[in-house]
Amino acid sequence: MGKRTDYDTVIIGAGPGGYSAALRAAELGLRVAVVERDPTPGGTCLNRGCIPTKALITAARSVEQGRRAERYGIGMSVNAIDFGALRDYRRGTVRTVVEGLSGLLRFRGVDMIHGEARGLRRVPGSEADDMTYAVDVTPPDGDARGDTRTVTARHVVVATGSRPRPLPSIPFSQSVIDSDGALELDEFPDDVIIIGSGAIALEFASLWNAAGSRVTLLARKNGVLSNWDRRTSATMTRELKRRGIDVVTKTGVTAIDTGVNLGAVVHYEVANGKTSEEKSAAAQIVLVAIGRNPNTDAPWFDDLGLTRDTAGYLAVDGLGRTNVANVWAVGDVTGGYQLAHRAFEQGIAVAEAIAVAEAIAGLDPEPVREETIPRVVFSSPEAAAVGLTKAQAQADGRYADVAETIYPMLGNARTLMTGENGSVTVVSAVPSDDAAAPRIVVGVHMVGPEVNEIAGEAEQIIGNRIPLAKAARLIHPHPTFGEALGEALLKADGRPLHMR
């Protein structure tokens, strides 16, 4: 292992992919530094995404449960929301999680460098087994003082994350906001228009709807979560409407008018066969949640010769290697599912691959398999999915005799108690290269209460290729929401228990 550099590995970005790579690399004995422009580690997820939004959703569900308590014979009302206390609760949750991460990084001996990577270059004369990179780091305020710190390393991990994507020719403003701006609102809006139909859009729609806001959601295709299983999309669309959210499908935004004061008017078209109808809607706030763009447009990406696709995502192999030797990438910059837990696992795989390259650990890291990554939407109701849809499995040459089994969540006692609805879809198939092999589960798609907690079991079944017959014999505690997956597996195996 080279000793002439400041570090064995420098990681640019301290989000889930970056900090997991740092923790694992340090655990394996590598000298590690992380460059982060935010004051604290954690990236978008911990500071502006996963953690603060779920804290608000947890609070909003308390409001929702209070308003629905009458169905249980409990007289309860929500008199007011203390937005100051709610803000303190959200910030306190974030602070606790971030402080825990910061302490863990210090304990592992990871050096945190507060600043922005303005340059990444190969040191002249360093080749092959003596590769050296220099990372130029400036203060995050734009280098007003002109002091630049340069650190060197044998390996560099790019974990610069992503940023909210604006609508074409419509920049973000006081009234047209992204998810970061939505989190910083001093109070819940009276009415809001959400453009988008993915996880971020649905979570904010559910959050604001539970808090009493009038919510209009403009979806581009036939329903929300249009890239998911068709039943999941249809069920989620129906359930959001049932909760009072105005879901408008087949829309295309043409313009947004904003005034001096807070408020905006959204102009959009609604497709109707071969024709379209022009409509407009006004709201206090417009949230644009149409996806995120990778942070790969700094000049040093071109200077180093890193290969990117037309959307800006870095080209990597299964272990995160880019086309440039000893430069790796994890997280949102690599395309695929933009999820914290995917980036987290990628970080571990990259750290172990670097350790193997440095001959300090007898490891055999495995690539992260996209099809086993759980996707969860913390909306009301929740949605969760692992693996392939029926159409995807039928188009995949690895599988034959694809079958789809549907179980209604109202057949589950715990779901019945909540008054909610949903479904579980199990996709099973036989490996095409071995007709005698047992049938396996290749996809699970769920809508309903607490399905986020069931997604981990689905991942284990799919990721470990457990035969359907064995998976169906797993025992689930009674009465729990998890029994719904157990019943769906039994039905898929041809022996339904609590249903015909």
Side-chain angles (χ1 to χ4, degrees):
M1 181 169 57
K3 299 295 185 183
R4 292 185 293 170
T5 57
D6 298 320
Y7 299 97
D8 299 311
T9 303
V10 167
I11 299 164
I12 304 175
Y19 79 69
S20 65
L23 291 172
R24 182 60 176 141
E27 186 177 50
L28 292 169
L30 293 166
R31 296 167 296 144
V32 183
V34 177
V35 177
E36 174 55 55
R37 64 185 177 183
D38 285 347
T40 57
T44 294
C45 178
L46 269 64
N47 291 284
R48 299 176 296 279
C50 319
I51 301 303
T53 57
K54 303 318 175 279
L56 285 180
I57 288 171
T58 300
R61 285 181 177 174
S62 298
V63 176
E64 188 176 39
Q65 289 169 355
R67 288 180 173 146
R68 297 170 59 189
E70 187 174 343
R71 73 183 304 271
Y72 306 119
I74 301 172
M76 185 183 298
S77 63
V78 178
N79 299 322
I81 298 175
D82 185 335
F83 289 99
L86 183 60
R87 181 183 61 247
D88 292 344
Y89 158 72
R90 170 175 59 82
R91 291 178 177 175
T93 302
V94 171
R95 183 172 57 251
T96 299
V97 175
V98 169
E99 286 176 352
L101 173 60
S102 298
L104 186 56
L105 289 165
R106 287 193 300 271
F107 175 76
R108 292 278 174 86
V110 175
D111 287 346
M112 291 295 301
I113 301 174
H114 185 210
E116 185 164 359
R118 299 284 185 177
L120 172 60
R121 63 189 186 280
R122 181 181 295 178
V123 174
S126 63
E127 299 292 341
D129 60 349
D130 190 29
M131 192 74 67
T132 301
Y133 288 95
V135 183
D136 299 324
V137 183
T138 63
D141 59 5
D143 192 20
R145 296 169 298 164
D147 59 9
T148 299
R149 175 183 177 184
T150 300
V151 294
T152 59
R154 287 173 52 76
H155 298 268
V156 176
V157 179
V158 180
T160 48
S162 61
R163 60 188 182 276
R165 179 182 303 149
L167 286 164
S169 303
I170 303 176
F172 293 117
S173 62
Q174 185 180 12
S175 301
V176 181
I177 62 175
D178 59 19
S179 54
D180 292 353
L183 281 171
E184 293 302 320
L185 292 176
D186 292 330
E187 58 185 34
F188 294 130
D190 294 328
D191 44 37
V192 61
I193 296 171
I194 300 176
I195 301 171
S197 61
I200 295 174
L202 299 197
E203 289 177 2
F204 274 103
S206 296
L207 164 65
W208 285 328
N209 178 66
S213 304
R214 292 184 297 275
V215 180
T216 300
L217 191 147
L218 303 181
R220 187 166 60 91
K221 296 187 179 180
N222 291 334
V224 302
L225 299 180
S226 57
N227 293 328
W228 289 44
D229 166 73
R230 70 185 191 285
R231 181 170 294 274
T232 298
S233 175
T235 302
M236 280 295 296
T237 303
R238 182 193 69 226
E239 289 301 304
L240 291 173
K241 289 181 177 180
R242 189 170 71 90
R243 284 165 166 76
I245 296 173
D246 184 12
V247 180
V248 186
T249 59
K250 301 180 181 179
T251 66
V253 174
T254 56
I256 300 179
D257 298 330
T258 58
V260 177
N261 298 320
L262 197 64
V265 177
V266 178
H267 303 279
Y268 60 97
E269 295 178 341
V270 179
N272 183 15
K274 295 183 179 180
T275 63
S276 61
E277 180 181 0
E278 295 184 0
K279 293 189 174 185
S280 62
Q284 182 182 357
I285 288 290
V286 176
L287 169 64
V288 177
I290 58 173
R292 299 178 67 86
N293 293 328
N295 292 325
T296 59
D297 46 6
W300 56 262
F301 283 88
D302 286 327
D303 296 342
L304 199 61
L306 288 165
T307 299
R308 288 162 288 175
D309 65 14
T310 56
Y313 296 109
L314 290 171
V316 294
D317 69 5
L319 290 175
R321 298 182 184 90
T322 70
N323 64 298
V324 178
N326 286 18
V327 177
W328 314 71
V330 298
D332 288 0
V333 296
T334 65
Y337 296 123
Q338 293 182 317
L339 298 169
H341 45 277
R342 171 183 180 263
F344 187 89
E345 186 62 27
Q346 284 180 313
I348 295 173
V350 163
E352 293 183 351
I354 292 173
V356 170
E358 293 296 306
I360 65 169
L363 300 172
D364 185 19
E366 294 185 3
V368 176
R369 293 169 55 196
E370 291 286 318
E371 65 191 53
T372 64
I373 297 170
R375 292 101 69 197
V376 178
V377 183
F378 292 87
S379 52
S380 294
E382 292 181 348
V386 185
L388 306 177
T389 64
K390 179 182 179 182
Q392 289 170 335
Q394 288 174 329
D396 193 319
R398 295 173 298 170
Y399 304 114
D401 192 18
V402 176
E404 182 181 68
T405 304
I406 299 163
Y407 174 80
M409 286 289 282
L410 278 178
N412 173 264
R414 289 286 286 120
T415 302
L416 186 64
M417 295 174 197
T418 67
E420 296 192 32
N421 202 345
S423 65
V424 177
T425 299
V426 171
V427 180
S428 61
V430 175
S432 58
D433 59 354
D434 185 0
R439 178 173 289 273
I440 58 174
V441 179
V442 297
V444 173
H445 309 271
M446 301 175 285
V447 176
E450 305 296 337
V451 294
N452 75 90
E453 299 293 349
I454 312 173
E457 180 185 347
E459 179 194 12
Q460 292 295 318
I461 292 171
I462 295 170
N464 291 313
R465 299 177 67 86
I466 298 175
L468 173 61
K470 289 188 176 181
R473 295 193 64 85
L474 295 173
I475 298 173
H476 296 82
H478 176 75
T480 62
F481 294 112
E483 283 183 292
L485 177 57
E487 292 284 350
L489 291 169
L490 283 169
K491 183 180 178 183
D493 195 40
R495 45 195 180 98
L497 187 62
H498 291 101
M499 64 181 304
R500 297 178 181 177

